[in-house]
mmCIF file of all heavy atoms in Angstrom:
data_model
loop_
_atom_site.group_PDB
_atom_site.id
_atom_site.type_symbol
_atom_site.label_atom_id
_atom_site.label_comp_id
_atom_site.label_asym_id
_atom_site.label_seq_id
_atom_site.Cartn_x
_atom_site.Cartn_y
_atom_site.Cartn_z
ATOM 1 N N TRP A 1 -0.688 10.407 2.240
ATOM 2 C CA TRP A 1 -0.029 9.374 1.465
ATOM 3 C C TRP A 1 0.197 8.131 2.313
ATOM 4 O O TRP A 1 0.553 8.228 3.491
ATOM 5 C CB TRP A 1 1.309 9.910 0.950
ATOM 6 C CG TRP A 1 2.178 8.880 0.314
ATOM 7 C CD1 TRP A 1 2.053 8.348 -0.928
ATOM 8 C CD2 TRP A 1 3.324 8.270 0.910
ATOM 9 N NE1 TRP A 1 3.055 7.430 -1.152
ATOM 10 C CE2 TRP A 1 3.848 7.368 -0.045
ATOM 11 C CE3 TRP A 1 3.963 8.403 2.140
ATOM 12 C CZ2 TRP A 1 4.983 6.592 0.208
ATOM 13 C CZ3 TRP A 1 5.086 7.638 2.387
ATOM 14 C CH2 TRP A 1 5.580 6.747 1.423
ATOM 15 N N VAL A 2 -0.001 6.968 1.718
ATOM 16 C CA VAL A 2 0.127 5.699 2.428
ATOM 17 C C VAL A 2 1.296 4.873 1.913
ATOM 18 O O VAL A 2 2.133 4.404 2.689
ATOM 19 C CB VAL A 2 -1.169 4.873 2.329
ATOM 20 C CG1 VAL A 2 -0.986 3.493 2.953
ATOM 21 C CG2 VAL A 2 -2.318 5.613 3.012
ATOM 22 N N ALA A 3 1.351 4.660 0.604
ATOM 23 C CA ALA A 3 2.377 3.804 0.023
ATOM 24 C C ALA A 3 2.542 4.126 -1.449
ATOM 25 O O ALA A 3 1.629 4.640 -2.092
ATOM 26 C CB ALA A 3 2.015 2.326 0.195
ATOM 27 N N ALA A 4 3.714 3.816 -1.986
ATOM 28 C CA ALA A 4 3.988 4.042 -3.395
ATOM 29 C C ALA A 4 4.892 2.948 -3.930
ATOM 30 O O ALA A 4 5.674 2.351 -3.185
ATOM 31 C CB ALA A 4 4.641 5.407 -3.612
ATOM 32 N N ILE A 5 4.793 2.719 -5.227
ATOM 33 C CA ILE A 5 5.637 1.734 -5.885
ATOM 34 C C ILE A 5 6.044 2.265 -7.253
ATOM 35 O O ILE A 5 5.217 2.744 -8.021
ATOM 36 C CB ILE A 5 4.916 0.369 -5.996
ATOM 37 C CG1 ILE A 5 5.836 -0.681 -6.622
ATOM 38 C CG2 ILE A 5 3.601 0.496 -6.756
ATOM 39 C CD1 ILE A 5 5.299 -2.097 -6.482
ATOM 40 N N THR A 6 7.331 2.205 -7.550
ATOM 41 C CA THR A 6 7.836 2.702 -8.815
ATOM 42 C C THR A 6 7.600 1.690 -9.927
ATOM 43 O O THR A 6 7.197 0.549 -9.686
ATOM 44 C CB THR A 6 9.334 3.012 -8.730
ATOM 45 O OG1 THR A 6 10.055 1.780 -8.572
ATOM 46 C CG2 THR A 6 9.634 3.938 -7.565
ATOM 47 N N ARG A 7 7.873 2.109 -11.145
ATOM 48 C CA ARG A 7 7.710 1.215 -12.284
ATOM 49 C C ARG A 7 8.556 -0.041 -12.130
ATOM 50 O O ARG A 7 8.133 -1.130 -12.532
ATOM 51 C CB ARG A 7 8.086 1.945 -13.575
ATOM 52 C CG ARG A 7 7.874 1.135 -14.836
ATOM 53 C CD ARG A 7 8.330 1.910 -16.059
ATOM 54 N NE ARG A 7 7.593 3.158 -16.221
ATOM 55 C CZ ARG A 7 7.855 4.066 -17.150
ATOM 56 N NH1 ARG A 7 8.845 3.856 -18.013
ATOM 57 N NH2 ARG A 7 7.133 5.172 -17.220
ATOM 58 N N GLY A 8 9.720 0.107 -11.539
ATOM 59 C CA GLY A 8 10.607 -1.023 -11.345
ATOM 60 C C GLY A 8 10.321 -1.860 -10.119
ATOM 61 O O GLY A 8 10.984 -2.880 -9.903
ATOM 62 N N GLY A 9 9.361 -1.441 -9.293
ATOM 63 C CA GLY A 9 8.971 -2.233 -8.146
ATOM 64 C C GLY A 9 9.506 -1.779 -6.806
ATOM 65 O O GLY A 9 9.278 -2.463 -5.796
ATOM 66 N N THR A 10 10.195 -0.654 -6.748
ATOM 67 C CA THR A 10 10.664 -0.130 -5.476
ATOM 68 C C THR A 10 9.495 0.431 -4.677
ATOM 69 O O THR A 10 8.697 1.201 -5.206
ATOM 70 C CB THR A 10 11.717 0.961 -5.685
ATOM 71 O OG1 THR A 10 12.829 0.418 -6.400
ATOM 72 C CG2 THR A 10 12.210 1.508 -4.353
ATOM 73 N N THR A 11 9.405 0.064 -3.406
ATOM 74 C CA THR A 11 8.271 0.465 -2.579
ATOM 75 C C THR A 11 8.680 1.383 -1.445
ATOM 76 O O THR A 11 9.806 1.329 -0.957
ATOM 77 C CB THR A 11 7.570 -0.759 -1.985
ATOM 78 O OG1 THR A 11 8.501 -1.496 -1.173
ATOM 79 C CG2 THR A 11 7.044 -1.671 -3.080
ATOM 80 N N ASN A 12 7.733 2.215 -1.026
ATOM 81 C CA ASN A 12 7.894 3.095 0.124
ATOM 82 C C ASN A 12 6.574 3.174 0.873
ATOM 83 O O ASN A 12 5.506 3.128 0.266
ATOM 84 C CB ASN A 12 8.331 4.494 -0.309
ATOM 85 C CG ASN A 12 9.760 4.539 -0.802
ATOM 86 O OD1 ASN A 12 10.697 4.535 -0.008
ATOM 87 N ND2 ASN A 12 9.937 4.570 -2.113
ATOM 88 N N TYR A 13 6.664 3.322 2.201
ATOM 89 C CA TYR A 13 5.480 3.319 3.041
ATOM 90 C C TYR A 13 5.513 4.429 4.072
ATOM 91 O O TYR A 13 6.580 4.824 4.553
ATOM 92 C CB TYR A 13 5.352 1.989 3.787
ATOM 93 C CG TYR A 13 5.249 0.786 2.895
ATOM 94 C CD1 TYR A 13 6.384 0.082 2.504
ATOM 95 C CD2 TYR A 13 4.010 0.351 2.435
ATOM 96 C CE1 TYR A 13 6.294 -1.018 1.678
ATOM 97 C CE2 TYR A 13 3.910 -0.755 1.601
ATOM 98 C CZ TYR A 13 5.054 -1.435 1.231
ATOM 99 O OH TYR A 13 4.950 -2.530 0.412
ATOM 100 N N ALA A 14 4.331 4.905 4.425
ATOM 101 C CA ALA A 14 4.212 5.801 5.562
ATOM 102 C C ALA A 14 4.538 5.026 6.833
ATOM 103 O O ALA A 14 4.269 3.824 6.924
ATOM 104 C CB ALA A 14 2.805 6.385 5.640
ATOM 105 N N ASP A 15 5.106 5.712 7.808
ATOM 106 C CA ASP A 15 5.485 5.046 9.048
ATOM 107 C C ASP A 15 4.294 4.371 9.728
ATOM 108 O O ASP A 15 4.443 3.328 10.372
ATOM 109 C CB ASP A 15 6.126 6.043 10.012
ATOM 110 C CG ASP A 15 7.505 6.474 9.576
ATOM 111 O OD1 ASP A 15 8.121 5.778 8.742
ATOM 112 O OD2 ASP A 15 7.984 7.514 10.074
ATOM 113 N N SER A 16 3.122 4.941 9.592
ATOM 114 C CA SER A 16 1.947 4.422 10.267
ATOM 115 C C SER A 16 1.491 3.057 9.746
ATOM 116 O O SER A 16 0.764 2.348 10.440
ATOM 117 C CB SER A 16 0.788 5.418 10.157
ATOM 118 O OG SER A 16 0.464 5.666 8.799
ATOM 119 N N VAL A 17 1.916 2.687 8.543
ATOM 120 C CA VAL A 17 1.478 1.417 7.960
ATOM 121 C C VAL A 17 2.628 0.474 7.665
ATOM 122 O O VAL A 17 2.400 -0.672 7.252
ATOM 123 C CB VAL A 17 0.658 1.639 6.677
ATOM 124 C CG1 VAL A 17 -0.503 2.587 6.940
ATOM 125 C CG2 VAL A 17 1.538 2.164 5.545
ATOM 126 N N LYS A 18 3.833 0.931 7.863
ATOM 127 C CA LYS A 18 5.004 0.110 7.581
ATOM 128 C C LYS A 18 4.941 -1.200 8.367
ATOM 129 O O LYS A 18 4.590 -1.220 9.533
ATOM 130 C CB LYS A 18 6.271 0.884 7.935
ATOM 131 C CG LYS A 18 7.549 0.199 7.512
ATOM 132 C CD LYS A 18 8.757 1.062 7.842
ATOM 133 C CE LYS A 18 10.053 0.398 7.411
ATOM 134 N NZ LYS A 18 11.227 1.242 7.739
ATOM 135 N N ASP A 19 5.282 -2.285 7.716
ATOM 136 C CA ASP A 19 5.293 -3.641 8.273
ATOM 137 C C ASP A 19 3.901 -4.252 8.387
ATOM 138 O O ASP A 19 3.769 -5.411 8.791
ATOM 139 C CB ASP A 19 5.985 -3.696 9.635
ATOM 140 C CG ASP A 19 7.437 -3.267 9.575
ATOM 141 O OD1 ASP A 19 8.106 -3.555 8.565
ATOM 142 O OD2 ASP A 19 7.904 -2.638 10.547
ATOM 143 N N ARG A 20 2.874 -3.502 8.047
ATOM 144 C CA ARG A 20 1.511 -4.029 8.053
ATOM 145 C C ARG A 20 0.895 -4.059 6.657
ATOM 146 O O ARG A 20 0.131 -4.963 6.333
ATOM 147 C CB ARG A 20 0.614 -3.206 8.985
ATOM 148 C CG ARG A 20 1.050 -3.249 10.437
ATOM 149 C CD ARG A 20 0.004 -2.602 11.348
ATOM 150 N NE ARG A 20 -0.200 -1.190 11.029
ATOM 151 C CZ ARG A 20 -1.354 -0.672 10.614
ATOM 152 N NH1 ARG A 20 -2.423 -1.451 10.465
ATOM 153 N NH2 ARG A 20 -1.461 0.622 10.364
ATOM 154 N N PHE A 21 1.207 -3.060 5.840
ATOM 155 C CA PHE A 21 0.661 -2.961 4.495
ATOM 156 C C PHE A 21 1.734 -3.307 3.472
ATOM 157 O O PHE A 21 2.922 -3.045 3.679
ATOM 158 C CB PHE A 21 0.168 -1.537 4.207
ATOM 159 C CG PHE A 21 -1.041 -1.116 4.985
ATOM 160 C CD1 PHE A 21 -1.554 -1.874 6.028
ATOM 161 C CD2 PHE A 21 -1.687 0.068 4.656
ATOM 162 C CE1 PHE A 21 -2.669 -1.472 6.745
ATOM 163 C CE2 PHE A 21 -2.807 0.485 5.363
ATOM 164 C CZ PHE A 21 -3.294 -0.282 6.402
ATOM 165 N N THR A 22 1.301 -3.858 2.343
ATOM 166 C CA THR A 22 2.195 -4.174 1.250
ATOM 167 C C THR A 22 1.587 -3.699 -0.061
ATOM 168 O O THR A 22 0.473 -4.097 -0.408
ATOM 169 C CB THR A 22 2.479 -5.677 1.164
ATOM 170 O OG1 THR A 22 3.053 -6.139 2.391
ATOM 171 C CG2 THR A 22 3.459 -5.967 0.032
ATOM 172 N N ILE A 23 2.318 -2.867 -0.784
ATOM 173 C CA ILE A 23 1.866 -2.410 -2.088
ATOM 174 C C ILE A 23 2.549 -3.242 -3.168
ATOM 175 O O ILE A 23 3.723 -3.596 -3.042
ATOM 176 C CB ILE A 23 2.152 -0.904 -2.285
ATOM 177 C CG1 ILE A 23 1.509 -0.395 -3.583
ATOM 178 C CG2 ILE A 23 3.641 -0.611 -2.262
ATOM 179 C CD1 ILE A 23 1.574 1.125 -3.738
ATOM 180 N N SER A 24 1.817 -3.560 -4.214
ATOM 181 C CA SER A 24 2.371 -4.322 -5.326
ATOM 182 C C SER A 24 1.708 -3.876 -6.618
ATOM 183 O O SER A 24 0.698 -3.171 -6.594
ATOM 184 C CB SER A 24 2.184 -5.825 -5.107
ATOM 185 O OG SER A 24 0.810 -6.164 -5.024
ATOM 186 N N ARG A 25 2.264 -4.291 -7.743
ATOM 187 C CA ARG A 25 1.691 -3.902 -9.026
ATOM 188 C C ARG A 25 1.852 -5.018 -10.039
ATOM 189 O O ARG A 25 2.732 -5.879 -9.920
ATOM 190 C CB ARG A 25 2.338 -2.619 -9.548
ATOM 191 C CG ARG A 25 3.821 -2.735 -9.866
ATOM 192 C CD ARG A 25 4.430 -1.360 -10.135
ATOM 193 N NE ARG A 25 3.993 -0.798 -11.403
ATOM 194 C CZ ARG A 25 4.154 0.478 -11.748
ATOM 195 N NH1 ARG A 25 4.721 1.327 -10.903
ATOM 196 N NH2 ARG A 25 3.732 0.897 -12.935
ATOM 197 N N ASP A 26 1.003 -4.990 -11.032
ATOM 198 C CA ASP A 26 1.062 -5.902 -12.155
ATOM 199 C C ASP A 26 1.041 -5.035 -13.406
ATOM 200 O O ASP A 26 -0.012 -4.553 -13.823
ATOM 201 C CB ASP A 26 -0.117 -6.870 -12.139
ATOM 202 C CG ASP A 26 -0.009 -7.940 -13.210
ATOM 203 O OD1 ASP A 26 0.644 -7.705 -14.244
ATOM 204 O OD2 ASP A 26 -0.579 -9.030 -13.013
ATOM 205 N N ASN A 27 2.202 -4.823 -13.982
ATOM 206 C CA ASN A 27 2.307 -3.910 -15.114
ATOM 207 C C ASN A 27 1.528 -4.388 -16.340
ATOM 208 O O ASN A 27 1.002 -3.579 -17.103
ATOM 209 C CB ASN A 27 3.780 -3.703 -15.479
ATOM 210 C CG ASN A 27 4.538 -2.935 -14.417
ATOM 211 O OD1 ASN A 27 3.966 -2.132 -13.686
ATOM 212 N ND2 ASN A 27 5.840 -3.183 -14.326
ATOM 213 N N ALA A 28 1.453 -5.689 -16.526
ATOM 214 C CA ALA A 28 0.716 -6.232 -17.661
ATOM 215 C C ALA A 28 -0.778 -5.958 -17.553
ATOM 216 O O ALA A 28 -1.476 -5.879 -18.565
ATOM 217 C CB ALA A 28 0.965 -7.729 -17.788
ATOM 218 N N LYS A 29 -1.269 -5.802 -16.325
ATOM 219 C CA LYS A 29 -2.688 -5.566 -16.091
ATOM 220 C C LYS A 29 -3.001 -4.118 -15.735
ATOM 221 O O LYS A 29 -4.159 -3.793 -15.454
ATOM 222 C CB LYS A 29 -3.193 -6.476 -14.976
ATOM 223 C CG LYS A 29 -3.083 -7.955 -15.291
ATOM 224 C CD LYS A 29 -3.570 -8.800 -14.132
ATOM 225 C CE LYS A 29 -3.478 -10.275 -14.456
ATOM 226 N NZ LYS A 29 -3.917 -11.119 -13.323
ATOM 227 N N ASN A 30 -1.990 -3.267 -15.724
ATOM 228 C CA ASN A 30 -2.166 -1.863 -15.314
ATOM 229 C C ASN A 30 -2.847 -1.782 -13.956
ATOM 230 O O ASN A 30 -3.782 -0.997 -13.754
ATOM 231 C CB ASN A 30 -2.973 -1.090 -16.358
ATOM 232 C CG ASN A 30 -2.225 -0.904 -17.656
ATOM 233 O OD1 ASN A 30 -0.995 -0.907 -17.694
ATOM 234 N ND2 ASN A 30 -2.961 -0.742 -18.748
ATOM 235 N N ALA A 31 -2.365 -2.579 -13.036
ATOM 236 C CA ALA A 31 -3.013 -2.701 -11.738
ATOM 237 C C ALA A 31 -2.051 -2.432 -10.592
ATOM 238 O O ALA A 31 -0.851 -2.707 -10.683
ATOM 239 C CB ALA A 31 -3.608 -4.094 -11.574
ATOM 240 N N VAL A 32 -2.598 -1.909 -9.511
ATOM 241 C CA VAL A 32 -1.862 -1.733 -8.270
ATOM 242 C C VAL A 32 -2.731 -2.261 -7.139
ATOM 243 O O VAL A 32 -3.958 -2.112 -7.158
ATOM 244 C CB VAL A 32 -1.464 -0.262 -8.033
ATOM 245 C CG1 VAL A 32 -2.691 0.639 -7.942
ATOM 246 C CG2 VAL A 32 -0.594 -0.131 -6.792
ATOM 247 N N TYR A 33 -2.086 -2.877 -6.156
ATOM 248 C CA TYR A 33 -2.798 -3.508 -5.055
ATOM 249 C C TYR A 33 -2.245 -3.020 -3.725
ATOM 250 O O TYR A 33 -1.107 -2.576 -3.625
ATOM 251 C CB TYR A 33 -2.663 -5.030 -5.128
ATOM 252 C CG TYR A 33 -3.011 -5.606 -6.477
ATOM 253 C CD1 TYR A 33 -2.015 -5.869 -7.411
ATOM 254 C CD2 TYR A 33 -4.330 -5.877 -6.814
ATOM 255 C CE1 TYR A 33 -2.325 -6.388 -8.651
ATOM 256 C CE2 TYR A 33 -4.651 -6.400 -8.054
ATOM 257 C CZ TYR A 33 -3.643 -6.655 -8.968
ATOM 258 O OH TYR A 33 -3.966 -7.175 -10.199
ATOM 259 N N LEU A 34 -3.060 -3.138 -2.698
ATOM 260 C CA LEU A 34 -2.627 -2.825 -1.343
ATOM 261 C C LEU A 34 -3.138 -3.909 -0.417
ATOM 262 O O LEU A 34 -4.340 -3.992 -0.149
ATOM 263 C CB LEU A 34 -3.143 -1.457 -0.892
ATOM 264 C CG LEU A 34 -2.607 -0.970 0.453
ATOM 265 C CD1 LEU A 34 -1.109 -0.680 0.361
ATOM 266 C CD2 LEU A 34 -3.356 0.269 0.927
ATOM 267 N N GLN A 35 -2.228 -4.748 0.048
ATOM 268 C CA GLN A 35 -2.558 -5.772 1.028
ATOM 269 C C GLN A 35 -2.429 -5.157 2.410
ATOM 270 O O GLN A 35 -1.358 -4.686 2.786
ATOM 271 C CB GLN A 35 -1.621 -6.967 0.895
ATOM 272 C CG GLN A 35 -1.863 -8.069 1.912
ATOM 273 C CD GLN A 35 -3.203 -8.742 1.737
ATOM 274 O OE1 GLN A 35 -3.583 -9.087 0.624
ATOM 275 N NE2 GLN A 35 -3.929 -8.928 2.831
ATOM 276 N N MET A 36 -3.513 -5.162 3.171
ATOM 277 C CA MET A 36 -3.546 -4.538 4.482
ATOM 278 C C MET A 36 -3.772 -5.610 5.541
ATOM 279 O O MET A 36 -4.824 -6.255 5.561
ATOM 280 C CB MET A 36 -4.642 -3.479 4.553
ATOM 281 C CG MET A 36 -4.528 -2.408 3.477
ATOM 282 S SD MET A 36 -5.791 -1.113 3.642
ATOM 283 C CE MET A 36 -7.267 -2.088 3.306
ATOM 284 N N ASN A 37 -2.793 -5.795 6.400
ATOM 285 C CA ASN A 37 -2.868 -6.767 7.477
ATOM 286 C C ASN A 37 -2.827 -6.064 8.826
ATOM 287 O O ASN A 37 -2.426 -4.910 8.926
ATOM 288 C CB ASN A 37 -1.713 -7.765 7.380
ATOM 289 C CG ASN A 37 -1.727 -8.566 6.105
ATOM 290 O OD1 ASN A 37 -2.781 -8.899 5.574
ATOM 291 N ND2 ASN A 37 -0.538 -8.903 5.607
ATOM 292 N N SER A 38 -3.221 -6.794 9.856
ATOM 293 C CA SER A 38 -3.207 -6.256 11.224
ATOM 294 C C SER A 38 -3.874 -4.885 11.287
ATOM 295 O O SER A 38 -3.343 -3.939 11.870
ATOM 296 C CB SER A 38 -1.769 -6.183 11.744
ATOM 297 O OG SER A 38 -1.159 -7.454 11.738
ATOM 298 N N LEU A 39 -5.027 -4.791 10.704
ATOM 299 C CA LEU A 39 -5.719 -3.507 10.620
ATOM 300 C C LEU A 39 -6.108 -2.988 11.997
ATOM 301 O O LEU A 39 -6.466 -3.753 12.893
ATOM 302 C CB LEU A 39 -6.952 -3.633 9.737
ATOM 303 C CG LEU A 39 -6.650 -3.664 8.234
ATOM 304 C CD1 LEU A 39 -7.837 -4.204 7.459
ATOM 305 C CD2 LEU A 39 -6.281 -2.268 7.745
ATOM 306 N N LYS A 40 -6.046 -1.674 12.125
ATOM 307 C CA LYS A 40 -6.383 -0.978 13.354
ATOM 308 C C LYS A 40 -7.543 -0.024 13.098
ATOM 309 O O LYS A 40 -7.749 0.410 11.967
ATOM 310 C CB LYS A 40 -5.187 -0.175 13.863
ATOM 311 C CG LYS A 40 -3.914 -0.978 14.063
ATOM 312 C CD LYS A 40 -2.759 -0.057 14.441
ATOM 313 C CE LYS A 40 -1.476 -0.826 14.630
ATOM 314 N NZ LYS A 40 -0.345 0.081 14.968
ATOM 315 N N PRO A 41 -8.293 0.338 14.133
ATOM 316 C CA PRO A 41 -9.356 1.328 13.935
ATOM 317 C C PRO A 41 -8.849 2.625 13.321
ATOM 318 O O PRO A 41 -9.585 3.280 12.572
ATOM 319 C CB PRO A 41 -9.884 1.552 15.361
ATOM 320 C CG PRO A 41 -9.640 0.250 16.043
ATOM 321 C CD PRO A 41 -8.321 -0.227 15.497
ATOM 322 N N GLU A 42 -7.613 2.993 13.605
ATOM 323 C CA GLU A 42 -7.025 4.201 13.049
ATOM 324 C C GLU A 42 -6.835 4.130 11.535
ATOM 325 O O GLU A 42 -6.595 5.158 10.896
ATOM 326 C CB GLU A 42 -5.664 4.491 13.698
ATOM 327 C CG GLU A 42 -5.712 4.578 15.215
ATOM 328 C CD GLU A 42 -5.423 3.241 15.867
ATOM 329 O OE1 GLU A 42 -6.388 2.467 16.074
ATOM 330 O OE2 GLU A 42 -4.241 2.975 16.176
ATOM 331 N N ASP A 43 -6.928 2.941 10.966
ATOM 332 C CA ASP A 43 -6.809 2.779 9.519
ATOM 333 C C ASP A 43 -8.112 3.088 8.795
ATOM 334 O O ASP A 43 -8.138 3.116 7.562
ATOM 335 C CB ASP A 43 -6.377 1.356 9.169
ATOM 336 C CG ASP A 43 -4.991 1.024 9.686
ATOM 337 O OD1 ASP A 43 -4.087 1.882 9.570
ATOM 338 O OD2 ASP A 43 -4.808 -0.097 10.200
ATOM 339 N N THR A 44 -9.177 3.291 9.534
ATOM 340 C CA THR A 44 -10.464 3.596 8.925
ATOM 341 C C THR A 44 -10.370 4.869 8.090
ATOM 342 O O THR A 44 -9.981 5.924 8.590
ATOM 343 C CB THR A 44 -11.547 3.759 9.996
ATOM 344 O OG1 THR A 44 -11.739 2.512 10.672
ATOM 345 C CG2 THR A 44 -12.866 4.191 9.370
ATOM 346 N N ALA A 45 -10.716 4.754 6.818
ATOM 347 C CA ALA A 45 -10.602 5.881 5.900
ATOM 348 C C ALA A 45 -11.118 5.469 4.534
ATOM 349 O O ALA A 45 -11.346 4.286 4.268
ATOM 350 C CB ALA A 45 -9.145 6.336 5.776
ATOM 351 N N VAL A 46 -11.282 6.453 3.671
ATOM 352 C CA VAL A 46 -11.499 6.191 2.262
ATOM 353 C C VAL A 46 -10.129 6.118 1.605
ATOM 354 O O VAL A 46 -9.325 7.038 1.745
ATOM 355 C CB VAL A 46 -12.352 7.278 1.590
ATOM 356 C CG1 VAL A 46 -12.489 7.011 0.097
ATOM 357 C CG2 VAL A 46 -13.728 7.341 2.245
ATOM 358 N N TYR A 47 -9.873 5.038 0.903
ATOM 359 C CA TYR A 47 -8.582 4.824 0.267
ATOM 360 C C TYR A 47 -8.669 5.114 -1.220
ATOM 361 O O TYR A 47 -9.594 4.665 -1.899
ATOM 362 C CB TYR A 47 -8.110 3.386 0.495
ATOM 363 C CG TYR A 47 -7.605 3.145 1.900
ATOM 364 C CD1 TYR A 47 -8.492 3.112 2.972
ATOM 365 C CD2 TYR A 47 -6.245 2.985 2.152
ATOM 366 C CE1 TYR A 47 -8.030 2.923 4.268
ATOM 367 C CE2 TYR A 47 -5.780 2.790 3.441
ATOM 368 C CZ TYR A 47 -6.671 2.759 4.495
ATOM 369 O OH TYR A 47 -6.201 2.567 5.771
ATOM 370 N N TYR A 48 -7.689 5.859 -1.727
ATOM 371 C CA TYR A 48 -7.650 6.266 -3.121
ATOM 372 C C TYR A 48 -6.352 5.807 -3.773
ATOM 373 O O TYR A 48 -5.276 5.977 -3.197
ATOM 374 C CB TYR A 48 -7.726 7.789 -3.252
ATOM 375 C CG TYR A 48 -8.961 8.421 -2.670
ATOM 376 C CD1 TYR A 48 -8.999 8.812 -1.335
ATOM 377 C CD2 TYR A 48 -10.085 8.648 -3.463
ATOM 378 C CE1 TYR A 48 -10.129 9.408 -0.802
ATOM 379 C CE2 TYR A 48 -11.211 9.241 -2.929
ATOM 380 C CZ TYR A 48 -11.229 9.620 -1.599
ATOM 381 O OH TYR A 48 -12.354 10.217 -1.077
#
């Protein structure tokens, strides 16, 4: 698990990505996003 966001917009992050990744959502578009900054080689993965 990397990050989660509730219907109301409350967010939680894994310690490994905290302060670098930001999760957000657009309820009108049924969309969720993950902004990833300061990426490290350890972040290499398939994201779901």
